[in-house]
PDB file of all heavy atoms in Angstrom:
ATOM      1  N   GLY V 282     -51.261-131.842  99.579  1.00  0.00           N
ATOM      2  CA  GLY V 282     -51.651-130.462  99.825  1.00  0.00           C
ATOM      3  C   GLY V 282     -50.570-129.754 100.670  1.00  0.00           C
ATOM      4  O   GLY V 282     -50.894-128.814 101.433  1.00  0.00           O
ATOM      5  N   ALA V 284     -48.298-127.602 100.088  1.00  0.00           N
ATOM      6  CA  ALA V 284     -47.995-126.173  99.919  1.00  0.00           C
ATOM      7  C   ALA V 284     -49.221-125.317 100.344  1.00  0.00           C
ATOM      8  O   ALA V 284     -49.181-124.082 100.247  1.00  0.00           O
ATOM      9  CB  ALA V 284     -47.713-125.900  98.463  1.00  0.00           C
ATOM     10  N   GLY V 285     -50.230-125.952 100.820  1.00  0.00           N
ATOM     11  CA  GLY V 285     -51.404-125.220 101.247  1.00  0.00           C
ATOM     12  C   GLY V 285     -51.279-124.743 102.709  1.00  0.00           C
ATOM     13  O   GLY V 285     -50.256-124.934 103.343  1.00  0.00           O
ATOM     14  N   PHE V 286     -52.329-124.168 103.211  1.00  0.00           N
ATOM     15  CA  PHE V 286     -52.339-123.626 104.560  1.00  0.00           C
ATOM     16  C   PHE V 286     -52.067-124.722 105.578  1.00  0.00           C
ATOM     17  O   PHE V 286     -51.009-124.723 106.258  1.00  0.00           O
ATOM     18  CB  PHE V 286     -53.656-122.882 104.790  1.00  0.00           C
ATOM     19  CG  PHE V 286     -54.002-122.636 106.209  1.00  0.00           C
ATOM     20  CD1 PHE V 286     -53.113-122.063 107.087  1.00  0.00           C
ATOM     21  CD2 PHE V 286     -55.254-122.966 106.725  1.00  0.00           C
ATOM     22  CE1 PHE V 286     -53.451-121.810 108.406  1.00  0.00           C
ATOM     23  CE2 PHE V 286     -55.641-122.727 107.984  1.00  0.00           C
ATOM     24  CZ  PHE V 286     -54.708-122.156 108.857  1.00  0.00           C
ATOM     25  N   ILE V 287     -52.990-125.684 105.707  1.00  0.00           N
ATOM     26  CA  ILE V 287     -52.838-126.689 106.772  1.00  0.00           C
ATOM     27  C   ILE V 287     -51.658-127.603 106.409  1.00  0.00           C
ATOM     28  O   ILE V 287     -50.833-127.946 107.294  1.00  0.00           O
ATOM     29  CB  ILE V 287     -54.102-127.496 106.917  1.00  0.00           C
ATOM     30  CG1 ILE V 287     -55.268-126.571 107.404  1.00  0.00           C
ATOM     31  CG2 ILE V 287     -53.963-128.639 107.926  1.00  0.00           C
ATOM     32  CD1 ILE V 287     -56.655-127.222 107.410  1.00  0.00           C
ATOM     33  N   GLY V 288     -51.536-128.017 105.152  1.00  0.00           N
ATOM     34  CA  GLY V 288     -50.496-128.950 104.793  1.00  0.00           C
ATOM     35  C   GLY V 288     -49.113-128.416 105.082  1.00  0.00           C
ATOM     36  O   GLY V 288     -48.202-129.070 105.574  1.00  0.00           O
ATOM     37  N   ASP V 306     -48.182-131.725  95.858  1.00  0.00           N
ATOM     38  CA  ASP V 306     -49.050-130.565  95.627  1.00  0.00           C
ATOM     39  C   ASP V 306     -49.017-130.194  94.170  1.00  0.00           C
ATOM     40  O   ASP V 306     -48.008-130.325  93.510  1.00  0.00           O
ATOM     41  CB  ASP V 306     -48.613-129.358  96.514  1.00  0.00           C
ATOM     42  CG  ASP V 306     -49.775-128.432  96.794  1.00  0.00           C
ATOM     43  OD1 ASP V 306     -50.340-127.854  95.888  1.00  0.00           O
ATOM     44  OD2 ASP V 306     -50.141-128.329  98.008  1.00  0.00           O
ATOM     45  N   ASN V 307     -50.167-129.701  93.699  1.00  0.00           N
ATOM     46  CA  ASN V 307     -50.177-129.206  92.267  1.00  0.00           C
ATOM     47  C   ASN V 307     -50.195-127.678  92.228  1.00  0.00           C
ATOM     48  O   ASN V 307     -50.344-127.118  91.135  1.00  0.00           O
ATOM     49  CB  ASN V 307     -51.403-129.759  91.504  1.00  0.00           C
ATOM     50  CG  ASN V 307     -52.707-129.152  91.967  1.00  0.00           C
ATOM     51  OD1 ASN V 307     -52.754-128.448  93.014  1.00  0.00           O
ATOM     52  ND2 ASN V 307     -53.789-129.460  91.283  1.00  0.00           N
ATOM     53  N   PHE V 308     -50.053-127.031  93.361  1.00  0.00           N
ATOM     54  CA  PHE V 308     -49.992-125.594  93.483  1.00  0.00           C
ATOM     55  C   PHE V 308     -51.184-124.898  92.875  1.00  0.00           C
ATOM     56  O   PHE V 308     -51.053-123.758  92.371  1.00  0.00           O
ATOM     57  CB  PHE V 308     -48.666-125.038  92.849  1.00  0.00           C
ATOM     58  CG  PHE V 308     -47.471-125.528  93.568  1.00  0.00           C
ATOM     59  CD1 PHE V 308     -46.776-126.683  93.180  1.00  0.00           C
ATOM     60  CD2 PHE V 308     -47.005-124.850  94.742  1.00  0.00           C
ATOM     61  CE1 PHE V 308     -45.665-127.128  93.937  1.00  0.00           C
ATOM     62  CE2 PHE V 308     -45.906-125.305  95.454  1.00  0.00           C
ATOM     63  CZ  PHE V 308     -45.235-126.423  95.069  1.00  0.00           C
ATOM     64  N   SER V 309     -52.346-125.499  92.929  1.00  0.00           N
ATOM     65  CA  SER V 309     -53.532-124.841  92.420  1.00  0.00           C
ATOM     66  C   SER V 309     -53.965-123.747  93.385  1.00  0.00           C
ATOM     67  O   SER V 309     -54.328-122.620  92.980  1.00  0.00           O
ATOM     68  CB  SER V 309     -54.660-125.857  92.140  1.00  0.00           C
ATOM     69  OG  SER V 309     -54.908-126.627  93.285  1.00  0.00           O
ATOM     70  N   THR V 310     -53.972-124.025  94.716  1.00  0.00           N
ATOM     71  CA  THR V 310     -54.268-122.968  95.687  1.00  0.00           C
ATOM     72  C   THR V 310     -53.145-122.832  96.710  1.00  0.00           C
ATOM     73  O   THR V 310     -53.188-121.918  97.552  1.00  0.00           O
ATOM     74  CB  THR V 310     -55.581-123.264  96.468  1.00  0.00           C
ATOM     75  OG1 THR V 310     -55.478-124.505  97.057  1.00  0.00           O
ATOM     76  CG2 THR V 310     -56.799-123.195  95.520  1.00  0.00           C
ATOM     77  N   GLY V 311     -52.138-123.661  96.594  1.00  0.00           N
ATOM     78  CA  GLY V 311     -51.023-123.572  97.508  1.00  0.00           C
ATOM     79  C   GLY V 311     -49.864-122.759  96.917  1.00  0.00           C
ATOM     80  O   GLY V 311     -49.950-122.397  95.713  1.00  0.00           O
ATOM     81  N   GLY V 336     -47.196-132.561  91.718  1.00  0.00           N
ATOM     82  CA  GLY V 336     -48.023-133.557  91.068  1.00  0.00           C
ATOM     83  C   GLY V 336     -49.463-133.370  91.454  1.00  0.00           C
ATOM     84  O   GLY V 336     -49.801-132.488  92.227  1.00  0.00           O
ATOM     85  N   ASP V 337     -50.303-134.287  90.928  1.00  0.00           N
ATOM     86  CA  ASP V 337     -51.723-134.074  91.034  1.00  0.00           C
ATOM     87  C   ASP V 337     -52.394-135.349  91.554  1.00  0.00           C
ATOM     88  O   ASP V 337     -52.079-136.421  91.018  1.00  0.00           O
ATOM     89  CB  ASP V 337     -52.277-133.707  89.684  1.00  0.00           C
ATOM     90  CG  ASP V 337     -53.577-132.995  89.773  1.00  0.00           C
ATOM     91  OD1 ASP V 337     -54.513-133.558  90.372  1.00  0.00           O
ATOM     92  OD2 ASP V 337     -53.663-131.799  89.340  1.00  0.00           O
ATOM     93  N   ILE V 338     -53.237-135.247  92.530  1.00  0.00           N
ATOM     94  CA  ILE V 338     -53.914-136.449  93.040  1.00  0.00           C
ATOM     95  C   ILE V 338     -54.915-136.992  92.062  1.00  0.00           C
ATOM     96  O   ILE V 338     -55.423-138.104  92.230  1.00  0.00           O
ATOM     97  CB  ILE V 338     -54.579-136.190  94.418  1.00  0.00           C
ATOM     98  CG1 ILE V 338     -55.604-135.018  94.370  1.00  0.00           C
ATOM     99  CG2 ILE V 338     -53.506-135.957  95.483  1.00  0.00           C
ATOM    100  CD1 ILE V 338     -56.505-134.943  95.604  1.00  0.00           C
ATOM    101  N   ARG V 339     -55.191-136.203  91.011  1.00  0.00           N
ATOM    102  CA  ARG V 339     -56.087-136.802  89.937  1.00  0.00           C
ATOM    103  C   ARG V 339     -55.328-137.723  89.089  1.00  0.00           C
ATOM    104  O   ARG V 339     -55.893-138.458  88.221  1.00  0.00           O
ATOM    105  CB  ARG V 339     -56.710-135.653  89.108  1.00  0.00           C
ATOM    106  CG  ARG V 339     -57.733-134.809  89.948  1.00  0.00           C
ATOM    107  CD  ARG V 339     -58.098-133.532  89.236  1.00  0.00           C
ATOM    108  NE  ARG V 339     -56.943-132.692  89.145  1.00  0.00           N
ATOM    109  CZ  ARG V 339     -56.997-131.458  88.640  1.00  0.00           C
ATOM    110  NH1 ARG V 339     -58.153-130.932  88.200  1.00  0.00           N
ATOM    111  NH2 ARG V 339     -55.917-130.689  88.562  1.00  0.00           N
ATOM    112  N   HIS V 357     -54.452-134.009 102.577  1.00  0.00           N
ATOM    113  CA  HIS V 357     -55.084-132.618 102.731  1.00  0.00           C
ATOM    114  C   HIS V 357     -55.325-131.995 101.390  1.00  0.00           C
ATOM    115  O   HIS V 357     -55.895-130.912 101.380  1.00  0.00           O
ATOM    116  CB  HIS V 357     -54.253-131.792 103.652  1.00  0.00           C
ATOM    117  CG  HIS V 357     -54.446-132.235 105.080  1.00  0.00           C
ATOM    118  ND1 HIS V 357     -53.922-133.370 105.551  1.00  0.00           N
ATOM    119  CD2 HIS V 357     -55.137-131.660 106.113  1.00  0.00           C
ATOM    120  CE1 HIS V 357     -54.289-133.527 106.846  1.00  0.00           C
ATOM    121  NE2 HIS V 357     -55.013-132.466 107.207  1.00  0.00           N
ATOM    122  N   ALA V 358     -54.828-132.562 100.282  1.00  0.00           N
ATOM    123  CA  ALA V 358     -55.061-131.904  98.978  1.00  0.00           C
ATOM    124  C   ALA V 358     -56.500-131.955  98.657  1.00  0.00           C
ATOM    125  O   ALA V 358     -57.150-133.016  98.648  1.00  0.00           O
ATOM    126  CB  ALA V 358     -54.242-132.658  97.920  1.00  0.00           C
ATOM    127  N   ALA V 359     -57.095-130.821  98.346  1.00  0.00           N
ATOM    128  CA  ALA V 359     -58.492-130.765  97.958  1.00  0.00           C
ATOM    129  C   ALA V 359     -58.782-129.330  97.446  1.00  0.00           C
ATOM    130  O   ALA V 359     -57.997-128.417  97.685  1.00  0.00           O
ATOM    131  CB  ALA V 359     -59.422-131.046  99.138  1.00  0.00           C
ATOM    132  N   GLY V 361     -60.836-126.608  98.410  1.00  0.00           N
ATOM    133  CA  GLY V 361     -61.354-126.465  99.749  1.00  0.00           C
ATOM    134  C   GLY V 361     -62.401-125.398  99.924  1.00  0.00           C
ATOM    135  O   GLY V 361     -62.756-125.083 101.072  1.00  0.00           O
ATOM    136  N   SER V 376     -60.998-133.371  92.095  1.00  0.00           N
ATOM    137  CA  SER V 376     -59.899-133.418  93.078  1.00  0.00           C
ATOM    138  C   SER V 376     -60.381-134.124  94.365  1.00  0.00           C
ATOM    139  O   SER V 376     -59.710-134.922  94.982  1.00  0.00           O
ATOM    140  CB  SER V 376     -59.421-132.041  93.414  1.00  0.00           C
ATOM    141  OG  SER V 376     -58.554-131.548  92.397  1.00  0.00           O
ATOM    142  N   ALA V 399     -58.457-135.127 105.739  1.00  0.00           N
ATOM    143  CA  ALA V 399     -59.239-133.942 106.141  1.00  0.00           C
ATOM    144  C   ALA V 399     -60.654-134.133 105.646  1.00  0.00           C
ATOM    145  O   ALA V 399     -60.933-134.087 104.414  1.00  0.00           O
ATOM    146  CB  ALA V 399     -58.591-132.711 105.496  1.00  0.00           C
ATOM    147  N   SER V 400     -61.573-134.271 106.572  1.00  0.00           N
ATOM    148  CA  SER V 400     -62.968-134.100 106.225  1.00  0.00           C
ATOM    149  C   SER V 400     -63.384-132.686 106.697  1.00  0.00           C
ATOM    150  O   SER V 400     -62.496-131.840 106.808  1.00  0.00           O
ATOM    151  CB  SER V 400     -63.834-135.142 106.925  1.00  0.00           C
ATOM    152  OG  SER V 400     -65.208-135.039 106.571  1.00  0.00           O
ATOM    153  N   SER V 401     -64.649-132.452 106.936  1.00  0.00           N
ATOM    154  CA  SER V 401     -65.087-131.067 107.211  1.00  0.00           C
ATOM    155  C   SER V 401     -66.340-130.984 107.981  1.00  0.00           C
ATOM    156  O   SER V 401     -67.181-131.873 107.818  1.00  0.00           O
ATOM    157  CB  SER V 401     -65.209-130.324 105.865  1.00  0.00           C
ATOM    158  OG  SER V 401     -65.904-129.113 106.060  1.00  0.00           O
ATOM    159  N   TYR V 425     -69.076-129.185  97.625  1.00  0.00           N
ATOM    160  CA  TYR V 425     -67.889-129.424  98.498  1.00  0.00           C
ATOM    161  C   TYR V 425     -68.304-130.332  99.639  1.00  0.00           C
ATOM    162  O   TYR V 425     -67.612-131.352  99.924  1.00  0.00           O
ATOM    163  CB  TYR V 425     -67.395-128.079  99.073  1.00  0.00           C
ATOM    164  CG  TYR V 425     -66.369-128.254 100.151  1.00  0.00           C
ATOM    165  CD1 TYR V 425     -65.048-128.552  99.874  1.00  0.00           C
ATOM    166  CD2 TYR V 425     -66.724-128.064 101.498  1.00  0.00           C
ATOM    167  CE1 TYR V 425     -64.113-128.663 100.865  1.00  0.00           C
ATOM    168  CE2 TYR V 425     -65.791-128.208 102.513  1.00  0.00           C
ATOM    169  CZ  TYR V 425     -64.515-128.496 102.192  1.00  0.00           C
ATOM    170  OH  TYR V 425     -63.555-128.658 103.210  1.00  0.00           O
ATOM    171  N   LYS V 429     -67.035-134.324 100.724  1.00  0.00           N
ATOM    172  CA  LYS V 429     -66.458-134.725 101.987  1.00  0.00           C
ATOM    173  C   LYS V 429     -67.256-135.900 102.648  1.00  0.00           C
ATOM    174  O   LYS V 429     -66.667-136.783 103.290  1.00  0.00           O
ATOM    175  CB  LYS V 429     -66.423-133.538 102.982  1.00  0.00           C
ATOM    176  CG  LYS V 429     -65.423-132.472 102.541  1.00  0.00           C
ATOM    177  CD  LYS V 429     -63.967-132.904 102.661  1.00  0.00           C
ATOM    178  CE  LYS V 429     -62.984-131.885 102.155  1.00  0.00           C
ATOM    179  NZ  LYS V 429     -61.593-132.321 102.278  1.00  0.00           N
ATOM    180  N   TYR V 452     -62.645-130.917 110.279  1.00  0.00           N
ATOM    181  CA  TYR V 452     -62.203-129.632 110.800  1.00  0.00           C
ATOM    182  C   TYR V 452     -63.328-128.612 110.777  1.00  0.00           C
ATOM    183  O   TYR V 452     -64.122-128.561 109.897  1.00  0.00           O
ATOM    184  CB  TYR V 452     -61.066-129.091 109.933  1.00  0.00           C
ATOM    185  CG  TYR V 452     -59.889-129.962 109.773  1.00  0.00           C
ATOM    186  CD1 TYR V 452     -59.185-130.011 108.547  1.00  0.00           C
ATOM    187  CD2 TYR V 452     -59.455-130.761 110.801  1.00  0.00           C
ATOM    188  CE1 TYR V 452     -58.093-130.796 108.377  1.00  0.00           C
ATOM    189  CE2 TYR V 452     -58.312-131.597 110.661  1.00  0.00           C
ATOM    190  CZ  TYR V 452     -57.660-131.602 109.452  1.00  0.00           C
ATOM    191  OH  TYR V 452     -56.530-132.412 109.296  1.00  0.00           O
ATOM    192  N   ASN V 454     -63.637-124.558 110.758  1.00  0.00           N
ATOM    193  CA  ASN V 454     -63.032-123.248 110.625  1.00  0.00           C
ATOM    194  C   ASN V 454     -61.590-123.065 111.175  1.00  0.00           C
ATOM    195  O   ASN V 454     -61.415-122.466 112.239  1.00  0.00           O
ATOM    196  CB  ASN V 454     -63.953-122.160 111.210  1.00  0.00           C
ATOM    197  CG  ASN V 454     -65.171-122.020 110.391  1.00  0.00           C
ATOM    198  OD1 ASN V 454     -66.086-122.805 110.504  1.00  0.00           O
ATOM    199  ND2 ASN V 454     -65.194-121.072 109.476  1.00  0.00           N
ATOM    200  N   VAL V 455     -60.695-123.619 110.459  1.00  0.00           N
ATOM    201  CA  VAL V 455     -59.287-123.570 110.874  1.00  0.00           C
ATOM    202  C   VAL V 455     -58.718-122.183 110.568  1.00  0.00           C
ATOM    203  O   VAL V 455     -59.053-121.649 109.543  1.00  0.00           O
ATOM    204  CB  VAL V 455     -58.473-124.645 110.189  1.00  0.00           C
ATOM    205  CG1 VAL V 455     -57.050-124.725 110.731  1.00  0.00           C
ATOM    206  CG2 VAL V 455     -59.136-126.008 110.289  1.00  0.00           C
TER     207      VAL V 455
HETATM  208  P1  NAD I 766     -55.511-124.959 100.873  1.00  0.00           P
HETATM  209  O1  NAD I 766     -56.212-124.614  99.651  1.00  0.00           O
HETATM  210  O2  NAD I 766     -54.629-123.949 101.525  1.00  0.00           O
HETATM  211  O3  NAD I 766     -54.642-126.303 100.671  1.00  0.00           O
HETATM  212  C1  NAD I 766     -55.014-127.313  99.745  1.00  0.00           C
HETATM  213  C2  NAD I 766     -53.764-127.702  99.011  1.00  0.00           C
HETATM  214  O4  NAD I 766     -54.112-128.805  98.088  1.00  0.00           O
HETATM  215  C3  NAD I 766     -53.220-126.587  98.113  1.00  0.00           C
HETATM  216  O5  NAD I 766     -51.829-126.438  98.346  1.00  0.00           O
HETATM  217  C4  NAD I 766     -53.548-126.999  96.707  1.00  0.00           C
HETATM  218  O6  NAD I 766     -52.592-126.513  95.749  1.00  0.00           O
HETATM  219  C5  NAD I 766     -53.496-128.543  96.842  1.00  0.00           C
HETATM  220  N1  NAD I 766     -54.298-129.207  95.852  1.00  0.00           N
HETATM  221  C6  NAD I 766     -55.604-128.985  95.485  1.00  0.00           C
HETATM  222  N2  NAD I 766     -56.029-129.808  94.568  1.00  0.00           N
HETATM  223  C7  NAD I 766     -54.958-130.613  94.294  1.00  0.00           C
HETATM  224  C8  NAD I 766     -54.744-131.736  93.409  1.00  0.00           C
HETATM  225  N3  NAD I 766     -55.735-132.119  92.523  1.00  0.00           N
HETATM  226  N4  NAD I 766     -53.530-132.365  93.426  1.00  0.00           N
HETATM  227  C9  NAD I 766     -52.546-131.978  94.274  1.00  0.00           C
HETATM  228  N5  NAD I 766     -52.714-130.973  95.123  1.00  0.00           N
HETATM  229  C10 NAD I 766     -53.861-130.296  95.144  1.00  0.00           C
HETATM  230  O7  NAD I 766     -56.643-125.474 101.928  1.00  0.00           O
HETATM  231  P2  NAD I 766     -56.530-125.807 103.461  1.00  0.00           P
HETATM  232  O8  NAD I 766     -57.334-124.827 104.185  1.00  0.00           O
HETATM  233  O9  NAD I 766     -55.121-125.991 103.869  1.00  0.00           O
HETATM  234  O10 NAD I 766     -57.309-127.181 103.539  1.00  0.00           O
HETATM  235  C11 NAD I 766     -56.633-128.419 103.609  1.00  0.00           C
HETATM  236  C12 NAD I 766     -57.691-129.528 103.758  1.00  0.00           C
HETATM  237  O11 NAD I 766     -58.482-129.304 104.880  1.00  0.00           O
HETATM  238  C13 NAD I 766     -58.675-129.583 102.579  1.00  0.00           C
HETATM  239  O12 NAD I 766     -59.042-130.942 102.331  1.00  0.00           O
HETATM  240  C14 NAD I 766     -59.905-128.863 103.094  1.00  0.00           C
HETATM  241  O13 NAD I 766     -61.127-129.298 102.483  1.00  0.00           O
HETATM  242  C15 NAD I 766     -59.848-129.284 104.594  1.00  0.00           C
HETATM  243  N6  NAD I 766     -60.559-128.373 105.470  1.00  0.00           N
HETATM  244  C16 NAD I 766     -60.059-127.103 105.713  1.00  0.00           C
HETATM  245  C17 NAD I 766     -60.758-126.285 106.603  1.00  0.00           C
HETATM  246  C18 NAD I 766     -60.286-124.907 106.877  1.00  0.00           C
HETATM  247  O14 NAD I 766     -60.886-124.192 107.690  1.00  0.00           O
HETATM  248  N7  NAD I 766     -59.156-124.439 106.341  1.00  0.00           N
HETATM  249  C19 NAD I 766     -61.937-126.691 107.207  1.00  0.00           C
HETATM  250  C20 NAD I 766     -62.407-127.981 106.935  1.00  0.00           C
HETATM  251  C21 NAD I 766     -61.727-128.815 106.076  1.00  0.00           C
END
Side-chain angles (χ1 to χ4, degrees):
F286 161 50
I287 298 173
D306 206 297
N307 70 352
F308 294 95
S309 52
T310 56
D337 201 302
I338 55 169
R339 293 168 294 184
H357 287 71
S376 284
S400 182
S401 167
Y425 170 78
K429 291 293 178 179
Y452 303 146
N454 290 82
V455 188

